[in-house]
Amino acid sequence: MLTLSARRCILSQLTSPLKSTRGHCDTAPPDVLDRVRTLLQLCADRYYISPGESNSELFRRGWSCSYGPLGVELKRNLLQQWWHSVTGSRAWVFGVNTLSSSPVRAAGGARVVQSEPFQQILDQSELSREQLIQKLNRLLLSSPSVRTSLLQGALEQFVPSLEMVNKKLPFGLAESGPCFQPSDGCSAEVTQTSLVWFCSPRSSSQWLDHWARHRLKWWRKFALSPSDFSSAEVPENELEEKTSRGVKILYKFPWGLESLETLWCRGDAELLQVHKGIRSKLQTRDGRKSVPHVVSVSGNMDRGAMAYLSNSLQELRREDGRKRLQQRKVLKLHPVLAPVKVALDVGKGATVEMRQICEGLLQEFLEAKISAWPGYLEAVPTSLELLNAKYDEMGVLFTVVIGEKTLESGLLQVRSRDTTIRETMHISEIRNFLSKYVSAADKL
Amino acid sequence: MLTLSARRCILSQLTSPLKSTRGHCDTAPPDVLDRVRTLLQLCADRYYISPGESNSELFRRGWSCSYGPLGVELKRNLLQQWWHSVTGSRAWVFGVNTLSSSPVRAAGGARVVQSEPFQQILDQSELSREQLIQKLNRLLLSSPSVRTSLLQGALEQFVPSLEMVNKKLPFGLAESGPCFQPSDGCSAEVTQTSLVWFCSPRSSSQWLDHWARHRLKWWRKFALSPSDFSSAEVPENELEEKTSRGVKILYKFPWGLESLETLWCRGDAELLQVHKGIRSKLQTRDGRKSVPHVVSVSGNMDRGAMAYLSNSLQELRREDGRKRLQQRKVLKLHPVLAPVKVALDVGKGATVEMRQICEGLLQEFLEAKISAWPGYLEAVPTSLELLNAKYDEMGVLFTVVIGEKTLESGLLQVRSRDTTIRETMHISEIRNFLSKYVSAADKL
């Protein structure tokens, strides 16, 4: 692992990732900088994130940024997998959906303030300094505050949910959505996932272990190098207020470890606080007078998406036929996460008929909900090598090329990203082949 | 349709839907009020929305509210269907994901202001009144403003997207997410969907018609009474600034028509404005020097969810065997939208073995991604009649009851929400039966 100062240095250099500042920092290994730059450049070039330095920087920091179409699909796939794994893992996990801003939260934090009434107060020249301050304070306090996590919303939902499960423990509430995290005076947007688990006081530590195992296994399931994902107990002196234990799920980025998901044993203090200490509302059917304990599991899916991109980028060097060194970059995203499962292209001398076949296949894929890339629509002719290189960088699982042979025999070429092998397949088989491939990878 | 004053009256009465204020308002038909109250009560009782009057009111107004587990699933299903229908309908529709707050937007609107620096300025007693105002103004202007629609983000993404499609028109950018809409001085959260379509100036009116037909067909596809969904051209005197044509997709709520989705021909003014008038960046390959025109399609999926709930609630009156009048409420949500496809229950005298069969079936359903309700976990024994009434109000498609017979022969009872008919089926068939039923309904 890098030292803290080396890490800070890398981070400061990365704030302008495209300017070459290499060598200025003794402790930052240049290959680390190269790897990060390569990744960010590839993500911008291949439609994962929108271009622009400040956008790349948001992304690198693990915050929400402006995503391109491939980044959107990757995040959708990731969130969908998370949802199924959490709500489908146990009978009693329910989804909830709370507001991202709310009038009832405590003072402080970030607030959504309307500019117009604010300006109107400032413009009232008859107000004294004290009256001005009083009015502005009132406006601020009456403005809805934006959430920094999904915990509060779930705690508020505890009572109606308890009715639903007939007052039996344990059960959990799951939610995902944007949150605002204060950072350097401004606030950063983050796509959070949250599971808030309510259980008996004596079982909360075991449940923390259960969910920590569950989460680590989930993160590793989609990894190319599972060992880059790890979990660690939070040391006692770093525990957050009101928590008795914590576990972090970590990813080893080129510049060091960052946390993807955090689990806490939170006790009953916050639950009591949200429900104003009315213990009778919070009691369950187990006969004991105790209030449930809370285990929270909250993740950052923007950073999660970046972890998988970082994890799946392979740079392969090999000599070509003429002994020139070739560098091939492949984004080996897990089949379930890969935003494009299949790219559709035409060979040289494309005819109207060949394009029609592409249209037909595309419709078939869309109906079967197989995400497809209509490469045949691009008018610029390019070599098959360049095409493969591009799709490898996009992480496209399979490339289908329609040639003249397809018109004669119905046969087409299917190239695999992971094996680089080209197979000949009949046009009627391709849809089933892809569906089976993706669902088999899901079940592994 | 109701008159405006009648409508206002109903709305004001509904702000306290549980207090009986019926009869106070001459023009508001009591049956309309009853229907709305019944719907809101059912939604709160059956886990679509969280209980509470103010929450019901947010929901009724078509704003984001706090949703219960069934509401979350309904909205998820709705958004997923929208996504597939928009991104899967044409080759060149891409998903994007932009930030919900952004530092670059124009003055005015709502802003995310950090309380702490705000308080610090107010606490600086050495500042004069003018200095105070100046500092506060600067803080407000440097705070990120929150988006009121998804249009701006898509317009910003036009240039990188144009590269991606090799400078060919038409193409579209799709996004869904929370937006803040100013309303009565405060701001309301709304889950918006947005398709921003870029096309040649001469084709924009045709594209508006195309998308209007597409959207109306989509809304009607999942409706119980499709005729409650309609579309209407926006009269010329009601056109928004910078738009040349508009079409609204409307739903006939008990209190009148409300718009679910709005389509506008927006010309090129806003696109030029976002890209600072640099025409060269915006030009396409078609040889003409013109800048693309924009057709926007934006929907409110909170109101959409309410429209489908309102549309699918059937109240049936019939006499039972003892000639007592029975009222049955059924939420006949489309199979694709219904949040729970199957409820699993046990008959009287439940044994450990019967519960184990339920556990096994539940796992099977979860693996097949069939959303199931584990009713067998509820400890309170209830009659089959009450159980069916409850599941009908939840809109559960099928109820499976495991009885003693299941242990002997593997046979179980499957009751359909829509036909109320009980069928006997072998336990090995149920999963396939449900999968096929839902996917067949999707294809209709």
Side-chain angles (χ1 to χ4, degrees):
Chain A
M1 253 192 76
L2 297 171
T3 62
L4 191 64
S5 70
R7 194 172 145 182
R8 276 215 193 102
C9 188
I10 295 173
L11 292 189
S12 72
Q13 289 182 30
L14 284 169
T15 51
S16 49
L18 301 178
K19 287 171 204 142
S20 176
T21 49
R22 251 186 294 161
H24 286 219
C25 187
D26 295 334
T27 42
D31 63 318
V32 168
L33 283 174
D34 271 348
R35 268 162 66 201
V36 178
R37 277 207 192 86
T38 305
L39 177 68
L40 293 179
Q41 193 60 53
L42 182 137
C43 288
D45 289 346
R46 297 310 179 197
Y47 324 127
Y48 279 90
I49 59 172
S50 304
E53 282 185 31
S54 60
N55 196 52
S56 286
E57 178 56 14
L58 289 176
F59 178 60
R60 198 201 50 71
R61 289 198 183 195
W63 295 342
S64 285
C65 69
S66 181
Y67 288 93
L70 267 63
V72 172
E73 280 301 321
L74 172 62
K75 243 178 89 177
R76 277 178 67 83
N77 293 342
L78 196 57
L79 282 166
Q80 208 153 15
Q81 288 298 324
W82 173 82
W83 188 258
H84 280 302
S85 94
V86 169
T87 62
S89 64
R90 291 259 151 193
W92 282 140
V93 177
F94 301 97
V96 289
N97 203 184
T98 60
L99 292 170
S100 66
S101 66
S102 152
V104 291
R105 300 185 212 274
R111 287 173 180 271
V112 180
V113 176
Q114 296 288 334
S115 301
E116 288 71 21
F118 188 89
Q119 285 294 351
Q120 277 163 17
I121 295 175
L122 294 189
D123 291 345
Q124 283 175 299
S125 51
E126 73 278 11
L127 291 181
S128 71
R129 195 177 180 287
E130 279 59 46
Q131 285 172 321
L132 191 74
I133 289 178
Q134 208 174 24
K135 281 214 169 191
L136 288 171
N137 250 327
R138 216 177 294 148
L139 179 74
L140 188 72
L141 282 172
S142 67
S143 299
S145 70
V146 294
R147 64 183 173 196
T148 55
S149 84
L150 302 169
L151 175 67
Q152 178 81 7
L155 295 179
E156 285 165 13
Q157 291 305 304
F158 174 76
V159 170
S161 309
L162 190 63
E163 291 302 317
M164 187 170 65
V165 297
N166 208 8
K167 301 209 169 219
K168 283 211 293 189
L169 292 185
F171 72 94
L173 298 177
E175 182 171 12
S176 75
C179 292
F180 289 85
Q181 291 189 338
S183 159
D184 309 336
C186 64
S187 67
E189 210 175 312
V190 165
T191 310
Q192 271 201 13
T193 54
S194 155
L195 169 69
V196 178
W197 187 250
F198 303 95
C199 57
S200 69
R202 61 188 159 71
S203 66
S204 71
S205 194
Q206 276 136 280
W207 278 115
L208 183 78
D209 291 328
H210 166 86
W211 286 114
R213 277 194 306 274
H214 178 279
R215 300 309 304 140
L216 181 61
K217 200 172 146 198
W218 182 84
W219 284 103
R220 286 184 167 167
K221 179 181 171 185
F222 306 108
L224 191 64
S225 317
S227 61
D228 289 344
F229 293 83
S230 60
S231 68
E233 186 87 22
V234 177
E236 234 173 271
N237 55 356
E238 290 173 24
L239 283 178
E240 280 187 10
E241 204 195 342
K242 288 175 190 163
T243 61
S244 59
R245 261 189 76 198
V247 173
K248 292 196 174 196
I249 309 287
L250 303 161
Y251 180 72
K252 202 169 86 188
F253 282 100
W255 58 85
L257 291 171
E258 299 249 26
S259 124
L260 301 175
E261 206 160 5
T262 318
L263 301 94
W264 298 110
C265 271
R266 316 191 75 99
D268 58 6
E270 289 150 316
L271 188 63
L272 275 164
Q273 195 182 329
V274 164
H275 296 284
K276 297 174 181 106
I278 308 171
R279 293 180 160 262
S280 58
K281 270 165 66 181
L282 308 177
Q283 271 157 15
T284 57
R285 276 161 51 92
D286 68 353
R288 293 191 193 82
K289 292 263 163 122
S290 58
V291 165
H293 275 208
V294 173
V295 174
S296 69
V297 185
S298 72
N300 173 346
M301 286 301 152
D302 292 300
R303 187 173 281 152
M306 199 188 32
Y308 282 120
L309 285 167
S310 177
N311 194 257
S312 64
L313 178 60
Q314 279 197 340
E315 295 185 74
L316 307 164
R317 286 180 174 84
R318 62 165 185 199
E319 283 180 8
D320 70 354
R322 293 177 206 161
K323 296 236 166 193
R324 281 179 310 195
L325 195 68
Q326 292 233 315
Q327 202 174 23
R328 192 178 150 236
K329 279 175 281 192
V330 192
L331 212 52
K332 288 200 171 175
L333 284 166
H334 189 279
V336 165
L337 297 185
V340 181
K341 313 298 184 205
V342 58
L344 266 169
D345 250 290
V346 280
K348 274 175 194 163
T351 62
V352 176
E353 287 89 349
M354 278 152 75
R355 282 174 197 281
Q356 279 169 345
I357 290 179
C358 287
E359 286 287 345
L361 264 182
L362 186 76
Q363 276 310 316
E364 255 193 65
F365 291 147
L366 293 175
E367 274 162 31
K369 290 174 186 166
I370 297 167
S371 141
W373 187 263
Y376 63 92
L377 286 178
E378 288 196 46
V380 186
T382 177
S383 76
L384 213 57
E385 296 256 314
L386 286 174
L387 209 63
N388 287 335
K390 175 181 158 183
Y391 290 142
D392 281 347
E393 292 185 10
M394 287 166 68
V396 174
L397 282 182
F398 292 97
T399 307
V400 167
V401 177
I402 309 282
E404 275 174 34
K405 264 195 190 159
T406 319
L407 294 177
E408 293 159 21
S409 60
L411 296 176
L412 37 75
Q413 293 266 304
V414 183
R415 176 187 177 271
S416 153
R417 174 196 73 184
D418 296 338
T419 64
T420 74
I421 290 170
R422 264 183 205 83
E423 260 186 278
T424 303
M425 207 175 281
H426 194 265
I427 195 166
S428 60
E429 297 167 334
I430 178 79
R431 182 178 129 166
N432 264 347
F433 167 76
L434 288 170
S435 289
K436 277 188 189 153
Y437 185 91
V438 174
S439 68
D442 193 9
K443 272 169 196 141
L444 278 183
Chain B
M1 254 192 76
L2 297 171
T3 61
L4 190 64
S5 69
R7 194 173 144 180
R8 278 216 191 100
C9 187
I10 293 172
L11 292 189
S12 71
Q13 288 184 30
L14 283 170
T15 51
S16 51
L18 301 179
K19 287 172 205 142
S20 177
T21 48
R22 252 187 294 164
H24 286 218
C25 187
D26 295 336
T27 43
D31 63 321
V32 167
L33 282 175
D34 270 347
R35 268 162 65 202
V36 178
R37 278 209 192 87
T38 305
L39 177 67
L40 293 179
Q41 193 61 52
L42 182 137
C43 288
D45 288 347
R46 298 309 179 197
Y47 325 126
Y48 279 90
I49 60 172
S50 304
E53 281 185 31
S54 59
N55 196 52
S56 286
E57 177 57 14
L58 289 176
F59 178 61
R60 197 202 49 73
R61 290 198 180 194
W63 295 340
S64 285
C65 69
S66 181
Y67 288 94
L70 267 62
V72 172
E73 280 301 320
L74 172 62
K75 243 180 90 178
R76 276 179 68 83
N77 292 341
L78 197 56
L79 282 166
Q80 207 152 18
Q81 288 298 324
W82 173 83
W83 187 259
H84 280 302
S85 92
V86 169
T87 63
S89 64
R90 291 259 150 193
W92 283 141
V93 176
F94 300 97
V96 288
N97 202 185
T98 60
L99 291 171
S100 66
S101 67
S102 151
V104 293
R105 302 187 209 272
R111 289 174 179 268
V112 180
V113 176
Q114 296 289 333
S115 301
E116 287 72 19
F118 187 91
Q119 285 295 351
Q120 277 162 18
I121 296 174
L122 294 189
D123 291 345
Q124 284 175 298
S125 52
E126 73 279 10
L127 293 180
S128 72
R129 195 179 180 285
E130 280 59 45
Q131 287 172 319
L132 192 75
I133 289 178
Q134 208 175 20
K135 282 214 167 191
L136 287 172
N137 251 326
R138 217 177 294 149
L139 180 74
L140 188 73
L141 282 172
S142 68
S143 299
S145 71
V146 293
R147 64 183 175 199
T148 56
S149 84
L150 301 170
L151 175 67
Q152 177 82 5
L155 295 179
E156 285 165 13
Q157 291 303 305
F158 174 74
V159 171
S161 309
L162 191 63
E163 291 302 317
M164 189 169 64
V165 296
N166 210 6
K167 301 206 168 224
K168 285 212 292 190
L169 292 183
F171 72 94
L173 297 176
E175 183 171 10
S176 74
C179 291
F180 288 85
Q181 291 188 338
S183 158
D184 311 334
C186 63
S187 67
E189 210 176 312
V190 166
T191 308
Q192 270 201 13
T193 54
S194 155
L195 170 68
V196 179
W197 186 249
F198 303 96
C199 57
S200 70
R202 62 187 160 72
S203 67
S204 71
S205 195
Q206 277 137 281
W207 279 115
L208 183 78
D209 292 328
H210 165 87
W211 285 114
R213 278 195 305 274
H214 178 279
R215 300 310 304 141
L216 182 60
K217 201 173 145 198
W218 183 84
W219 285 103
R220 285 183 169 168
K221 180 182 170 185
F222 307 107
L224 192 65
S225 317
S227 61
D228 289 344
F229 293 84
S230 61
S231 68
E233 186 86 22
V234 176
E236 235 172 272
N237 55 357
E238 290 174 24
L239 283 178
E240 280 189 10
E241 203 194 343
K242 289 175 190 163
T243 61
S244 60
R245 260 190 76 198
V247 173
K248 291 194 176 199
I249 309 287
L250 303 161
Y251 181 73
K252 203 169 87 188
F253 282 99
W255 57 85
L257 290 172
E258 300 249 25
S259 126
L260 301 176
E261 206 160 5
T262 318
L263 301 95
W264 297 108
C265 272
R266 316 191 76 99
D268 59 7
E270 288 151 316
L271 189 61
L272 274 164
Q273 195 182 331
V274 165
H275 296 283
K276 300 177 180 99
I278 309 171
R279 291 179 162 263
S280 58
K281 270 165 67 182
L282 309 176
Q283 271 157 17
T284 57
R285 275 161 52 91
D286 68 353
R288 294 191 191 82
K289 292 263 164 121
S290 59
V291 165
H293 274 207
V294 172
V295 174
S296 69
V297 185
S298 71
N300 173 346
M301 287 300 153
D302 291 301
R303 189 173 280 152
M306 203 191 26
Y308 282 120
L309 284 167
S310 177
N311 194 258
S312 64
L313 178 60
Q314 279 197 341
E315 294 185 75
L316 308 165
R317 285 180 176 81
R318 61 165 186 200
E319 282 181 7
D320 70 356
R322 292 178 209 162
K323 295 234 168 194
R324 282 179 311 197
L325 194 68
Q326 291 235 312
Q327 201 173 25
R328 193 180 150 235
K329 280 176 281 194
V330 192
L331 212 51
K332 288 202 172 174
L333 284 166
H334 190 279
V336 165
L337 296 185
V340 180
K341 313 298 181 204
V342 57
L344 265 169
D345 249 291
V346 281
K348 273 177 195 162
T351 61
V352 177
E353 287 88 349
M354 279 154 75
R355 283 175 196 279
Q356 278 168 348
I357 290 179
C358 288
E359 287 286 345
L361 264 181
L362 185 76
Q363 276 310 315
E364 257 193 63
F365 292 147
L366 292 176
E367 273 162 32
K369 290 173 184 164
I370 298 166
S371 140
W373 186 263
Y376 62 92
L377 286 178
E378 287 196 45
V380 185
T382 175
S383 77
L384 214 56
E385 295 256 312
L386 285 174
L387 210 62
N388 287 334
K390 174 180 160 184
Y391 290 141
D392 282 345
E393 293 185 11
M394 286 166 69
V396 173
L397 282 182
F398 292 97
T399 306
V400 167
V401 177
I402 310 281
E404 273 173 36
K405 264 195 192 159
T406 319
L407 294 178
E408 293 160 20
S409 59
L411 296 175
L412 36 76
Q413 293 267 306
V414 184
R415 177 189 177 267
S416 153
R417 174 196 73 184
D418 296 338
T419 63
T420 73
I421 289 171
R422 264 184 205 82
E423 260 186 277
T424 303
M425 207 175 283
H426 194 264
I427 194 165
S428 61
E429 298 168 333
I430 177 80
R431 184 177 127 167
N432 265 346
F433 167 77
L434 288 170
S435 290
K436 277 187 190 153
Y437 185 91
V438 175
S439 68
D442 193 9
K443 272 170 198 140
L444 278 184

